[in-house]
Coordinates of all heavy atoms in Angstrom, one line a residue:
W54 N -12.0 6.5 -69.1 CA -12.7 5.2 -69.1 C -12.8 4.9 -67.6 O -11.9 5.0 -66.8 CB -11.8 4.2 -69.8 CG -12.5 2.9 -70.1 CD1 -13.2 2.6 -71.2 CD2 -12.8 1.8 -69.3 NE1 -13.7 1.4 -71.1 CE2 -13.6 0.9 -70.0 CE3 -12.4 1.5 -68.0 CZ2 -13.9 -0.4 -69.4 CZ3 -12.7 0.2 -67.4 CH2 -13.4 -0.8 -68.3
Y58 N -14.3 -4.7 -63.7 CA -14.1 -6.1 -64.2 C -14.5 -7.0 -63.0 O -13.9 -6.8 -61.9 CB -12.6 -6.3 -64.6 CG -12.3 -5.8 -66.0 CD1 -11.9 -4.5 -66.1 CD2 -12.6 -6.5 -67.2 CE1 -11.6 -3.9 -67.5 CE2 -12.4 -6.0 -68.4 CZ -11.9 -4.7 -68.6 OH -11.7 -4.2 -69.9
A75 N -14.1 -1.9 -74.7 CA -12.9 -2.5 -73.9 C -12.7 -4.0 -74.1 O -13.8 -4.7 -74.5 CB -13.0 -2.0 -72.5
C76 N -11.6 -4.4 -73.7 CA -11.5 -5.9 -73.8 C -12.4 -6.6 -72.8 O -12.7 -6.0 -71.8 CB -10.0 -6.3 -73.6 SG -9.3 -5.6 -72.1
I79 N -9.8 -10.6 -69.0 CA -8.5 -10.5 -68.6 C -8.2 -11.5 -67.5 O -8.9 -11.7 -66.5 CB -8.2 -9.0 -67.9 CG1 -8.6 -7.9 -68.9 CG2 -6.8 -8.9 -67.3 CD1 -8.5 -6.5 -68.2
R83 N -2.7 -10.9 -65.3 CA -2.2 -10.3 -66.5 C -2.7 -8.8 -66.5 O -3.8 -8.4 -66.0 CB -2.9 -10.9 -67.8 CG -2.5 -12.4 -68.0 CD -0.9 -12.5 -68.1 NE -0.3 -11.6 -69.0 CZ -0.2 -11.9 -70.4 NH1 -0.8 -12.9 -70.8 NH2 0.4 -11.1 -71.1
G84 N -1.9 -7.8 -67.1 CA -2.3 -6.6 -67.3 C -2.3 -5.8 -65.9 O -2.1 -6.4 -64.9
V85 N -2.7 -4.7 -65.9 CA -2.7 -3.8 -64.6 C -3.8 -4.3 -63.8 O -3.8 -4.6 -62.6 CB -2.9 -2.3 -64.8 CG1 -2.8 -1.5 -63.6 CG2 -1.8 -1.8 -65.8
C86 N -5.0 -4.7 -64.4 CA -6.2 -5.1 -63.7 C -5.9 -6.6 -63.0 O -6.1 -6.6 -61.9 CB -7.4 -5.3 -64.7 SG -8.0 -3.7 -65.3
G87 N -5.3 -7.3 -63.8 CA -5.1 -8.8 -63.3 C -3.9 -8.7 -62.2 O -4.1 -9.5 -61.3
D106 N 3.4 -5.5 -69.8 CA 2.2 -6.3 -69.7 C 0.9 -5.4 -69.6 O -0.2 -6.0 -69.4 CB 2.2 -7.3 -68.6 CG 1.3 -8.5 -68.8 OD1 1.0 -8.9 -70.0 OD2 0.8 -9.1 -67.9
H107 N 1.0 -4.1 -69.8 CA -0.2 -3.4 -69.8 C -1.0 -3.8 -71.0 O -0.6 -4.0 -72.1 CB 0.2 -1.8 -69.9 CG -1.0 -0.9 -70.2 ND1 -1.1 -0.5 -71.5 CD2 -2.0 -0.4 -69.4 CE1 -2.3 0.3 -71.5 NE2 -2.8 0.2 -70.3
I108 N -2.4 -3.9 -70.8 CA -3.2 -4.2 -71.8 C -3.9 -3.0 -72.4 O -4.6 -2.2 -71.7 CB -4.3 -5.2 -71.4 CG1 -3.7 -6.5 -70.8 CG2 -5.3 -5.4 -72.5 CD1 -4.6 -7.4 -70.1
A109 N -3.5 -2.6 -73.7 CA -4.0 -1.4 -74.2 C -5.4 -1.6 -74.9 O -5.5 -2.1 -76.0 CB -3.1 -0.8 -75.2
C110 N -6.5 -1.0 -74.2 CA -7.9 -1.1 -74.9 C -8.2 0.2 -75.7 O -8.8 0.1 -76.7 CB -8.9 -1.2 -73.8 SG -8.8 -2.8 -72.8
E117 N -3.2 5.2 -65.4 CA -4.4 4.3 -65.0 C -4.2 4.0 -63.5 O -3.2 4.0 -63.0 CB -4.1 2.9 -65.8 CG -5.1 1.8 -65.5 CD -5.0 0.7 -66.7 OE1 -4.1 0.8 -67.5 OE2 -5.9 -0.2 -66.4
D133 N -11.4 0.0 -62.6 CA -10.4 0.5 -63.5 C -10.6 1.8 -64.0 O -11.7 2.0 -64.5 CB -10.3 -0.6 -64.6 CG -9.1 -0.3 -65.7 OD1 -8.2 0.6 -65.2 OD2 -9.1 -0.8 -66.7
D135 N -8.9 4.9 -66.5 CA -7.9 5.4 -67.3 C -7.9 6.8 -67.5 O -9.0 7.5 -67.4 CB -8.1 4.7 -68.7 CG -7.9 3.3 -68.7 OD1 -7.2 2.7 -67.8 OD2 -8.4 2.6 -69.5
Ligands
SME201 N1 -5.4 -1.4 -69.2 C1 -6.0 -2.5 -68.5 C2 -7.0 -3.2 -69.4 C3 -8.3 -2.6 -69.2 S1 -8.7 -1.2 -70.1 O1 -7.7 -0.2 -69.6 C4 -10.2 -0.7 -70.1 C5 -5.0 -3.6 -68.0 O2 -3.8 -3.4 -68.4 O3 -5.3 -4.4 -67.3

Side-chain angles (χ1 to χ4, degrees):
W54 196 93
Y58 280 92
C76 53
I79 299 172
R83 300 299 312 275
V85 186
C86 290
D106 203 29
H107 169 256
I108 300 164
C110 294
E117 179 164 6
D133 180 18
D135 294 338

